[in-house]
Amino acid sequence: MRNLDSKSYYINRELSWLAFNERVLAEAIQKGNPLLERLKFISIAASNLDEFFMVRVAGLKDQVKIGSNHPENKTQMTPVQQLVEISKRAHNHVAKLYATAKSCMHALSRQGIKMVHPHRLSREQRDFLARYFYEHIFPILTPITIDSTRPFPKVASRTINFAVLLEATDGEDDVEDLFAVVQMPSMLPRFIALPATSGERTFVMLEDVIKEHIALLFADSTVVEAACFRITRNADITLDEDVEDILKEIQKELKNRRKKGDIVRLEIEENMSHTMQMTLRDWLTIMDEDIYAVDGPIDATCFAELYHLPDCDHLRYAPLAPQIPRDLLGVQDIFQAIAQKDIMLFHPYESFDPVVQFIHQAANDIDVFAIKQTLYRVSGNSPIVSALKRAAENGKQVTVILELKARFDEANNIEWAKRLEESGCHVIYGLVGLKTHSKIALVVRKEGDRLRRYVHLGTGNYNDTTARIYTDISMFTAREDIGDDATAFFNFLTGCREPSSVPSWKQICTAPHGLKDKFLALIQNEINQSTPEKPGRIIAKMNSLTNKDIIKALYQASNAGVQIDLTVRGICCLRPGRPGVSENIRVSSIIGPQLEHSRIFYFQNGGDELLYLSSADWMTRNLENRVEILFPVVQENLKDRLKHILNIHLSDNVNRYILASSGLYRKVRPKGSDMPLASQLYFYEEACRHAANSHATSIPFVPITLET
């Protein structure tokens, strides 16, 4: 019997994340993708790296700071060892990112869209930039000189700044050189368009314009050097959840985060002088390995600005227009439709509007008495929140479990919490020590002499914006047993009862109490029913797989002959294809225009197939530190649909990568006469076919007018 705790059977979590971001960047390298889509992938990869440093690298540095040398439980790497490997790989990754960006920009110039330096402009163009500088930039800039009376300023995280070396011009030989910092305005566009000439579009970088005129800020000195830098700070929020007002506590911590977190990364221009680099390093007290010299514009997320350039549709994918969900074709009344059968929605191929309409209709329906809903991440102008406010104003009992600790959405959620409370909603800020990550809405409606409960459950957030980008699956149901569970779930959250009083669920299962055990039991059941003649079968799709107990159970299932296919978009700590350990496990990852976000779980169960959807990944944080929901799909046509979705994902030969036992990924390509199959495009075309083939008049899912 092999020791399944051996570190050789696992992939480090942080290195697996970097491998995921390398796959994102690979889509920018892929010349078959439209050019502006490639630049968008570069922007996404850069944004991902920001969060990785702010959270994951920052966490490891915190461990080192307190003297912890405790190895993580899978690969047994200490915090220091992880940081060393991360630094090596991240530096290579950043170099590749900027080389890719340079290649894309060269290709863009061949399309008549050029980036130029001010030195290469005509007199007329330079005059235009001078006027632009005086009118739009100069009034905003604030030079901060550093000397014995003015220490190095508290630079905000992820802002671009100029480090300026000055030489005094007062004629005194003994006057030391001065150092200054100027923050670049973040509200201005990074790419400044010049007046069009010869049918070409020409842009100049904002930082180049400022450098060209920066001497005007220092009338008494000569600018010896000016170069850009950007720091990344630890963005984790440390909360005392026992405080009287957690909302105010989070607001206070948000103010501290941008300027008080420890610095974990310094990005500088590649041509910055060694003297300037060392000066910044010493002032910022950062290690050499945390300095990233880049050959291109600092903060590569700026390339997202170019994505929406007008008259460039040929450089982008055709826009995806979400279709009416197939289960709602011909439907006139959404409550009546849900009462008759379970209804599935597959976003973004099918519209998210019915979810918004569900809450909107409930808000205005005189027969609806109560609405209860969880909110984790919502859009900036959320029609869901608008509908909940209207419901409360219409006298409904509205309860919202709003997670204030959703990372990087804290400020947005605080604002929504205030507005909901002002409208009369009962707002609960989650549970102490846990993030409420569940996606569930409950509507209680009077029908005749009884109350009927309508439930919506999903794998993704109630966010109408990301629902056009993320692939998620959700389901409406009026089943009594799920209605009972939904009522008990909300009562448990709002009652803040002890874990020992967690309800006995009829259909759903929840984390942190019971969900991991449920998954382990389902895996064990496959082992028990697997035979050489009819091996067990598990297919699972998720964002990340890190939990060691789940991985070990999958290894045991593999050894029992269970055939396992996993589609894991991001982090995967399981090492597939190892003889005697994981030879029956295959791992894929799909990276495409849409962000794969759905969580689907299939278990053969001896022929009586079980299918589930969930808000949870197979990550320790989801299974042990969050409030999550797993719910079954029992209606046969919906089970068939989920199996179809899983099979198409596993047949993708355009956007799918396969993980080797070495930990490396290779992209799947069509073989021989195989037709290319891109799963995301397939699902969209399938949704379009269903909508086109139906001549039934459907419920008018109209956008909700937002309140001012």
Side-chain angles (χ1 to χ4, degrees), residues 366-377:
I366 60 173
D367 292 324
V368 169
F369 288 1
I371 304 173
K372 303 181 182 184
Q373 187 166 9
T374 59
L375 295 178
Y376 189 73
R377 299 187 195 276

Side-chain angles (χ1 to χ4, degrees), residues 575-612:
R575 198 179 288 274
R578 294 293 295 265
V581 177
S582 55
E583 57 195 312
N584 292 316
I585 303 177
R586 296 158 293 277
V587 178
S588 299
S589 172
I590 292 175
I591 306 292
Q594 271 59 58
L595 181 78
E596 291 295 334
H597 196 253
S598 56
R599 291 92 166 190
I600 312 171
F601 302 96
Y602 166 90
F603 299 90
Q604 185 173 267
N605 190 35
D608 186 14
E609 299 167 315
L610 301 173
L611 284 116
Y612 298 89

Side-chain angles (χ1 to χ4, degrees), residues 481-700:
D481 47 9
I482 291 184
D484 288 342
D485 282 351
T487 298
F489 176 80
F490 281 106
N491 288 344
F492 173 72
L493 288 185
T494 58
C496 295
R497 292 179 290 177
E498 293 299 316
S500 58
S501 61
V502 174
S504 296
W505 309 113
K506 294 180 179 179
Q507 287 289 350
I508 71 170
C509 188
T510 62
H513 309 292
L515 183 52
K516 185 168 83 168
D517 289 340
K518 173 73 171 180
F519 279 127
L520 292 174
L522 288 166
I523 296 170
Q524 184 60 49
N525 181 59
E526 286 302 309
I527 294 173
N528 295 342
Q529 300 204 45
S530 184
T531 65
E533 296 75 27
K534 190 173 183 180
R537 186 85 168 99
I538 296 172
I539 309 174
K541 181 180 182 297
M542 68 203 77
N543 299 327
S544 295
L545 169 55
T546 68
N547 186 265
K548 188 175 182 179
D549 293 333
I550 295 288
I551 294 173
K552 287 175 67 175
L554 292 171
Y555 286 163
Q556 291 164 354
S558 174
N559 285 332
V562 178
Q563 297 299 307
I564 303 169
D565 278 287
L566 306 175
T567 301
V568 186
R569 183 198 77 215
I571 303 164
C572 182
C573 297
L574 179 150
R575 198 179 288 274
R578 294 293 295 265
V581 177
S582 55
E583 57 195 312
N584 292 316
I585 303 177
R586 296 158 293 277
V587 178
S588 299
S589 172
I590 292 175
I591 306 292
Q594 271 59 58
L595 181 78
E596 291 295 334
H597 196 253
S598 56
R599 291 92 166 190
I600 312 171
F601 302 96
Y602 166 90
F603 299 90
Q604 185 173 267
N605 190 35
D608 186 14
E609 299 167 315
L610 301 173
L611 284 116
Y612 298 89
L613 297 171
S614 182
S615 60
D617 293 312
W618 278 348
M619 300 182 77
T620 300
R621 73 181 186 190
N622 296 101
L623 301 177
E624 299 179 10
N625 300 313
R626 289 185 173 184
V627 179
E628 305 275 11
I629 291 180
L630 173 79
F631 59 97
V633 175
V634 296
Q635 194 169 283
E636 286 302 321
N637 69 313
L638 300 189
K639 290 172 69 173
D640 289 342
R641 191 175 180 193
L642 287 181
K643 289 189 290 182
H644 169 68
I645 290 170
L646 290 171
N647 285 329
I648 293 299
H649 279 133
L650 293 175
S651 302
D652 191 313
N653 57 16
V654 174
N655 295 122
R656 186 164 63 102
Y657 292 78
I658 292 177
L659 174 61
S661 60
S662 63
L664 299 177
Y665 286 81
R666 68 170 178 84
K667 194 163 190 178
V668 179
R669 304 289 186 188
K671 295 180 180 178
S673 60
D674 290 351
M675 292 293 292
L677 194 161
S679 56
Q680 294 183 349
L681 180 60
Y682 178 96
F683 291 132
Y684 178 57
E685 291 177 342
E686 187 176 58
C688 291
R689 285 197 302 274
H690 279 281
N693 292 337
S694 173
H695 302 291
T697 303
S698 300
I699 186 171

Side-chain angles (χ1 to χ4, degrees), residues 167-178:
E167 184 181 73
T169 58
D170 56 10
E172 296 183 24
D173 294 334
D174 58 347
V175 175
E176 294 183 358
D177 290 341
L178 299 175

Side-chain angles (χ1 to χ4, degrees), residues 123-139 195 209 213:
R123 173 59 65 87
E124 291 76 17
Q125 289 173 322
R126 291 169 66 85
D127 289 344
F128 168 83
L129 281 183
R131 290 193 301 273
Y132 185 93
F133 177 81
Y134 279 112
E135 293 173 8
H136 300 283
I137 304 174
F138 183 72
V209 176
H213 300 87

Side-chain angles (χ1 to χ4, degrees), residues 22 24-33 38 41-42 96 100 104:
E22 287 163 0
V24 173
L25 182 59
E27 293 302 303
I29 298 171
Q30 177 57 250
K31 292 184 178 179
N33 289 329
R38 293 169 62 192
F41 275 116
I42 290 171
K96 194 170 187 178
T100 304
C104 288

Side-chain angles (χ1 to χ4, degrees), residues 336-349:
Q336 186 181 64
I338 300 169
Q340 293 173 354
K341 64 177 183 179
D342 295 345
I343 292 170
M344 183 177 289
L345 312 179
F346 191 10
H347 315 296
Y349 318 110

